[in-house]
Amino acid sequence: MLKRMQSKEDIIKDQYMKTLTCFLQDSTLYDCLSINNQVSVIDQSFSLFDVFNVFIETHIDEVLFWNPDVAYYDGVFTQTDLIRIILKCYQNIINGIPNVWGNSKNQVQPIMEEEDEDRTSTPVNKTQAIGQEQINKLLIDLKTISVRDWFNSYGENLHQSSLVQADMADNLNDAMKKILKQGVTRIVVIDTETRVIVGILQQKDILAFLVKGFSQYFHLQLSQKSHKIEVRNENQQQSEQHELEINYFSDRILQLNDKLSFDTNVYEVFYKLIYVFKRNAIPIVDANNQYLGLIDRRDFQFILKYQVYDMLNRQAIDLLNFIRIEKSKYAGFCICNKELFHMKQTVKEVVENLLLSSRGSLVCLNENKEPISTLQMSDLFKICLDDIEIE
């Protein structure tokens, strides 16, 4: 039986994967590290409020907790953990439940919020609002409850985000094995000799490194090939690797089409982002399903920064407008920020625009300005790297 003939796109994709695999094998984690990969470390005795301020003031995505009992790091605390805590505190305050409890029989144990994959309901009634007295109580709790007390109170430990580690001298191909197979978005880099943590590499750091180094590596490989006349056709196909359109992966991309209505409760937006969709960002649409804007997890920091906790009970469109007003204060933001992509763009173009996106996500619209897909860093990471030879 004759095999199906490969299309031009299939051939380009195969060559792209072979070259990419070689590039990853020839590069180390040390090559990826930069000043932006420095580790932020805080003590477990910090209050929740202090931890949130670290995120706001330093614009970081995660911190490591230091455990003095074992003199080592005790887990990763991310933006997702931050949002989970605020949502839980908000829920408890509305329901009149203490945010932490001790051994006193008079204290009521908070109702534990189910966080399994099948849970889709929102625990806060949309009609409930939080008043100034409740906001004051929330702020007092955030400033007095330590990170250690919070996790101990809820019977959790600080290993909720596992410390997946790799040696600084490991090649990137080995790091891909851990990231793709263990389903993590970051990897902790250890110094070869001292065994000290020297940085945290996220998927976006690796994609940024690929954008900077892959083209140069690819052309260097071509120039080193011998017998150029004999391999002219092969080189011609390889030289088109960067012309592979993102549309080639449309079957997977178009499945990423979650969206929420403009009148969705803001609490529900973030709750669904974390527990239901498990996404970093979500498009907001109007009554005609037309795109209004994007809300991502980092936008939660606006609520924390300005302490507008009543925003959690308002509509998604209110948060979008609030964000636009705040970001308009920064000159040139709209010029450098990328928010949209289209299927005719090459993989390289989409990667570059995604790295320029302040939200780490891009939205694809159809001719009616309806969102048909939202592409985030982890999606593109899997699409571009899931087929590399890592076995």
Side-chain angles (χ1 to χ4, degrees), residues 68 115 220 225 372:
E115 299 179 0
L220 179 62
K225 281 187 175 290
I372 58 175

PDB file of all heavy atoms in Angstrom, residues 68 115 220 225 372:
ATOM      1  N   PRO A  68      13.226  27.835  57.858  1.00  0.00           N
ATOM      2  CA  PRO A  68      14.391  27.867  58.770  1.00  0.00           C
ATOM      3  C   PRO A  68      14.599  26.559  59.521  1.00  0.00           C
ATOM      4  O   PRO A  68      15.691  26.273  59.983  1.00  0.00           O
ATOM      5  CB  PRO A  68      14.044  29.007  59.735  1.00  0.00           C
ATOM      6  CG  PRO A  68      12.555  29.111  59.685  1.00  0.00           C
ATOM      7  CD  PRO A  68      12.152  28.740  58.289  1.00  0.00           C
ATOM      8  N   GLU A 115     -11.551  21.820  45.362  1.00  0.00           N
ATOM      9  CA  GLU A 115     -10.737  22.334  44.269  1.00  0.00           C
ATOM     10  C   GLU A 115     -10.399  21.239  43.267  1.00  0.00           C
ATOM     11  O   GLU A 115      -9.414  21.319  42.561  1.00  0.00           O
ATOM     12  CB  GLU A 115      -9.445  22.951  44.825  1.00  0.00           C
ATOM     13  CG  GLU A 115      -9.710  24.123  45.755  1.00  0.00           C
ATOM     14  CD  GLU A 115      -8.437  24.697  46.321  1.00  0.00           C
ATOM     15  OE1 GLU A 115      -7.360  24.177  45.992  1.00  0.00           O
ATOM     16  OE2 GLU A 115      -8.509  25.652  47.096  1.00  0.00           O
ATOM     17  N   LEU A 220      23.583  28.830  10.914  1.00  0.00           N
ATOM     18  CA  LEU A 220      24.927  28.326  11.118  1.00  0.00           C
ATOM     19  C   LEU A 220      25.019  26.861  10.689  1.00  0.00           C
ATOM     20  O   LEU A 220      25.983  26.443  10.049  1.00  0.00           O
ATOM     21  CB  LEU A 220      25.329  28.463  12.590  1.00  0.00           C
ATOM     22  CG  LEU A 220      26.723  27.949  12.966  1.00  0.00           C
ATOM     23  CD1 LEU A 220      27.805  28.737  12.222  1.00  0.00           C
ATOM     24  CD2 LEU A 220      26.937  28.041  14.470  1.00  0.00           C
ATOM     25  N   LYS A 225      27.006  22.761   6.241  1.00  0.00           N
ATOM     26  CA  LYS A 225      26.717  21.558   5.457  1.00  0.00           C
ATOM     27  C   LYS A 225      27.682  21.465   4.268  1.00  0.00           C
ATOM     28  O   LYS A 225      27.928  22.449   3.571  1.00  0.00           O
ATOM     29  CB  LYS A 225      25.267  21.570   4.964  1.00  0.00           C
ATOM     30  CG  LYS A 225      24.262  21.163   6.022  1.00  0.00           C
ATOM     31  CD  LYS A 225      22.884  21.039   5.408  1.00  0.00           C
ATOM     32  CE  LYS A 225      21.910  20.502   6.448  1.00  0.00           C
ATOM     33  NZ  LYS A 225      22.188  19.107   6.763  1.00  0.00           N
ATOM     34  N   ILE A 372     -12.275  33.324  18.562  1.00  0.00           N
ATOM     35  CA  ILE A 372     -12.379  31.905  18.225  1.00  0.00           C
ATOM     36  C   ILE A 372     -11.265  31.084  18.867  1.00  0.00           C
ATOM     37  O   ILE A 372     -11.304  29.854  18.845  1.00  0.00           O
ATOM     38  CB  ILE A 372     -12.376  31.692  16.697  1.00  0.00           C
ATOM     39  CG1 ILE A 372     -11.100  32.281  16.073  1.00  0.00           C
ATOM     40  CG2 ILE A 372     -13.610  32.284  16.067  1.00  0.00           C
ATOM     41  CD1 ILE A 372     -10.963  32.009  14.584  1.00  0.00           C
TER      42      ILE A 372
END
